[in-house]
Amino acid sequence: MTLPPFLRAALAPLRLMMRDRLAVAGLCVLSLIIAMALFAPLLSPHDPRHINEVEDGSVLVQTPEGWVLGESLGAVALNDAAHYGTDIGAQSLIVGREGTIWARESGHWARLDGGTVADLNAVDFSPEGTALIAGADGLILLRDGDKWTEIKAENADLHGAAWLSAGDALIVGDNEDIWRLDAETALITRINSPVGRGFSLRSVALDADGTALIVGERGLAIRFDPQSGSTALERLGSSRDLNHIHIAQGGTALVTGERGTLLRRASADATWVTDPAPDTRALRAGYIDDTGTAIAVGRNGIIMEWDGAEWLLSPTESERHLRALLVVGEDRLALGSDRFVTRLAPPSREHWFGTDHLGRDLFSQNMHGSQIALLVGFLGAALVVLIGTNVGLVAGYFRGRTETILMRTVDIMYGIPFEPFALILVLLFQPSLMIVILAVSLLTWRTVARLIRSQVLTLRERPFVKAARVAGASDLRIMYLHIFPNVLPLVFLELAIIVGVSIIAEATLSFLGLGPPQSISWGGILHDARLSGAWRTAWWWNLPPGILIMTTVLSVFFISRSLEVVANPRLRARE
C-alpha cells in the first residue's frame, strides 16, 4: 500500500527516531512524564493544596542547650502524666487519646493496654501506688499492679483526677461534674457544685491542708473539703479559663490558663498572685515544687521557666502543642501534642518528597506540576510553530515588500527581551495560564520564521514548484500542498526544540512569580521555596522540580537530535 506524500513525510521522523538509541530513551522518558501528567490525580497520595497535619505523642526533654524532641510515643496526643516514688526507678504513667497509656521505668518506655479506646485525660497515683485514670464518656480506670478495674460514671468527659487519701479520690469534668470515688467499693458519688452553671472543670489537686482545689472555665475555682463533703467558691484573681493546677507537698502552687495566665502561691498560707507572662499563648500544664522550681507549658511548643524573679521563655526545637509535664528527679519532660502541621518534613513513607513550609505534600505537587509544564510546552510550541511556519512560508514565497515587512518585524521581535515582555503582559492583564502561553509564543516564533523562510527560498525555484505554477495552481495550493510537505521535517525539528524552550520559559516565569497564581507548576514550586527562605536547607523542596525540568528538556532534546537527520541533507547523506 502506497502512502500519500504528506503522510510519508509525517512518518519519516518517527522511523529515524527508532534508529537512535538516545531518541528512543528520550521518547520513553517523555512518555512517562506525559503519563504522569495525565494520571496525576491518581498518582498523588495527597491533595497538592492540602495542608497536612499529623498527631504525635511528642516528648520534649530538657537539656543544657534547651528543650529538644525525644522519642515519639505513637501517633496520638498525650494529655497527662503522673509519677509515683522518689527515685528514677519508680514508675511514671502517661495517658493520651484513644486509650493510650505509657509506663516509664528507669528511663525506658513501655506501652500498656488498659482495655479501652476512649480518650484518657488525667492520671494520678495514690500514696500506695494505685493509679487513677479519668477520660471521655465518664470512664474511670484503676490500676493496682497488673490489675485493671473499669468504672463508669455518667456520660460526661472527665478532665481531672486527684487522690484525697489511700482509697478516696476526686474526679472532675464537664458541666461542673464532681465525682467522689471510693476505690475499695468502686462506688462513685456526685458532689454538688456551688455554681451550677454548667462550666467545665479542667483540673484538681490535693492541697497541703487535705482539701482539694478545683479549677475550670472563666476563672472558676472550687474548694472541696473531704471531711464535710462541702464545696465553696474560692477567688484566685483571674476570670480567664484555667486549665491546670499543681500543688507541691509544702503548699506552693501554680495554676496555668488561657492567654498566658500564671497564678502562683508561694506557700500554703500565702495569697495568690498573678505573674506577668512573657507570652500570651494558652498554657496547658504547670509544675512547681517547694524549692521554687516552676515550669509552664502550652500551645505551639511554648515553655516558660521561673527563675525566682520572673518567668522566662525557654528555647525549644518544636512548635508542637504541649499538654503535660513529667518531672522525675533531674529529668524534665514536656508532653503533647494536638494535631500540628508537618512543615518542612524531609522525605518519608508518608511524604515521598517531603513537605513544604505550609505542610503540603511535595510529591503530589510535582505530579500535578507536570500538567502545567507539558501543557505550556506543547501548546506553546504548537502556537510558535504555527505562527513561525506561516510567516516563513509567506515571506519566503512572496518575497518583495511582503518579505521585507515580515522580516523587519522578526528583527524587531529579536530586540524585545523575554522577561520584561512577560512582565508587561502580566501587568496589563491578570496573571493566567494563557498569559504565560502568549508570552512564550509571541516571542519564540521569530527563529522558526527565519528558518522556514530560508528553506522556502530554496524550494520556490525548484522544478516541481514551477510546474505547479504552469499547471495553474494557486499560491496557497503551492505553499501548503507542494512546499509545506518539504519543510515538514524542519517543522518537526523546531517543534521538538520549542517544546523544551517553552517548558524552560514557563518555569522561568513561574519562578519569577509571573505564572498563574492558582496553578501548580515546577517553576512555581521553586518560587515558593525561594520566597519561604528554606530553599537553602530544604533540599527535598528544590531538587525534584529541578530534576524533572532537566529530565523533560533533555528527553525532548534527544528526540530533536534525531530529527536533525531529516532536516539536514548532509547528515542524511552520512546515514
Side-chain angles (χ1 to χ4, degrees), residues 93-113:
L93 281 186
I94 299 173
V95 298
R97 291 188 61 247
E98 300 179 8
T100 299
I101 304 175
W102 286 89
R104 185 175 186 265
E105 297 182 11
S106 303
H108 299 288
W109 301 98
R111 183 73 179 264
L112 302 181
D113 183 9

Side-chain angles (χ1 to χ4, degrees), residues 295-334:
I295 307 171
V297 299
R299 293 183 60 84
N300 303 109
I302 188 171
I303 299 180
M304 304 177 187
E305 296 186 63
W306 176 255
D307 70 349
E310 61 179 343
W311 290 91
L312 302 174
L313 284 175
S314 299
T316 64
E317 67 172 20
S318 172
E319 293 186 357
R320 304 177 186 183
H321 303 322
L322 302 174
R323 305 176 64 89
L325 278 163
L326 179 62
V327 178
V328 182
E330 298 297 324
D331 295 342
R332 288 172 170 77
L333 309 178

Side-chain angles (χ1 to χ4, degrees), residues 206-538:
L206 181 65
D207 211 340
D209 60 359
T211 62
L213 187 57
I214 306 166
V215 296
E217 288 183 322
R218 301 187 183 182
L220 178 62
I222 300 174
R223 178 76 64 174
F224 173 71
D225 185 355
Q227 298 296 327
S228 62
S230 62
T231 57
L233 286 176
E234 186 162 327
R235 294 187 178 275
L236 302 185
S238 176
S239 60
R240 296 174 180 170
D241 292 349
L242 305 179
N243 296 323
H244 186 261
I245 180 171
H246 182 264
I247 303 177
Q249 289 185 350
T252 56
L254 177 65
V255 175
T256 56
E258 300 297 310
R259 299 181 62 183
T261 299
L262 290 164
L263 306 176
R264 187 172 48 85
R265 190 179 69 181
S267 61
D269 55 354
T271 58
W272 291 89
V273 297
T274 301
D275 290 332
D279 195 285
T280 58
R281 281 171 284 190
L283 298 174
R284 296 296 179 84
Y287 169 84
I288 194 168
D289 60 25
D290 295 323
T291 65
T293 299
I295 307 171
V297 299
R299 293 183 60 84
N300 303 109
I302 188 171
I303 299 180
M304 304 177 187
E305 296 186 63
W306 176 255
D307 70 349
E310 61 179 343
W311 290 91
L312 302 174
L313 284 175
S314 299
T316 64
E317 67 172 20
S318 172
E319 293 186 357
R320 304 177 186 183
H321 303 322
L322 302 174
R323 305 176 64 89
L325 278 163
L326 179 62
V327 178
V328 182
E330 298 297 324
D331 295 342
R332 288 172 170 77
L333 309 178
L335 311 168
S337 67
D338 296 315
R339 298 184 68 84
F340 63 92
V341 176
T342 54
R343 296 184 178 94
L344 297 176
S348 63
R349 291 183 179 179
E350 180 68 19
H351 304 285
W352 293 349
F353 288 179
T355 61
D356 64 8
H357 65 309
L358 297 178
R360 297 173 299 187
D361 182 67
L362 289 173
F363 178 80
S364 301
Q365 287 199 355
N366 280 278
M367 292 297 103
H368 284 76
S370 62
Q371 296 177 328
I372 296 296
L374 294 182
L375 180 62
V376 173
F378 286 107
L379 187 55
L383 288 176
V384 167
V385 170
L386 180 65
I387 298 171
T389 300
N390 284 280
V391 170
L393 280 171
V394 172
Y397 181 79
F398 287 105
R399 304 290 300 274
R401 181 178 296 178
T402 301
E403 180 188 21
T404 301
I405 294 173
L406 292 176
M407 288 301 101
R408 295 299 75 78
T409 302
V410 170
D411 294 338
I412 293 173
M413 299 301 288
Y414 269 109
I416 302 176
F418 176 69
E419 285 81 5
F421 177 74
L423 179 60
I424 292 173
L425 280 181
V426 171
L427 292 176
L428 292 177
F429 307 96
Q430 290 184 349
S432 66
L433 186 60
M434 186 55 63
I435 294 300
V436 174
I437 295 174
L438 285 176
V440 172
S441 58
L442 289 179
L443 285 183
T444 317
W445 63 267
R446 54 201 178 187
T447 302
V448 179
R450 276 188 175 275
L451 291 173
I452 298 299
R453 168 186 166 272
S454 301
Q455 190 78 357
V456 172
L457 287 176
T458 63
L459 292 172
R460 69 187 300 273
E461 302 300 332
R462 297 283 181 88
F464 69 90
V465 175
K466 293 180 180 180
R469 280 199 200 99
V470 172
S474 64
D475 292 333
L476 287 177
R477 183 179 179 84
I478 293 173
M479 279 193 299
Y480 290 102
L481 193 61
H482 296 282
I483 296 178
F484 179 67
N486 289 277
V487 299
L488 193 59
L490 186 60
V491 171
F492 277 118
L493 173 62
E494 288 302 310
L495 180 64
I497 294 175
I498 298 301
V499 168
V501 172
S502 300
I503 291 173
I504 293 177
E506 184 278 326
T508 301
L509 293 179
S510 296
F511 177 74
L512 295 176
L514 304 178
Q518 301 302 323
S519 300
I520 299 173
S521 67
W522 292 332
I525 296 173
L526 294 173
H527 172 71
D528 292 340
R530 181 177 61 87
L531 287 184
S532 72
W535 62 283
R536 297 180 182 274
T537 55

Side-chain angles (χ1 to χ4, degrees), residues 173-196:
D174 289 343
N175 301 316
E176 294 180 38
D177 285 331
I178 305 174
W179 300 96
R180 189 169 186 175
L181 170 67
D182 186 335
E184 293 183 359
T185 62
L187 178 66
I188 54 175
T189 306
R190 176 183 288 276
I191 306 297
N192 293 327
S193 170
V195 180

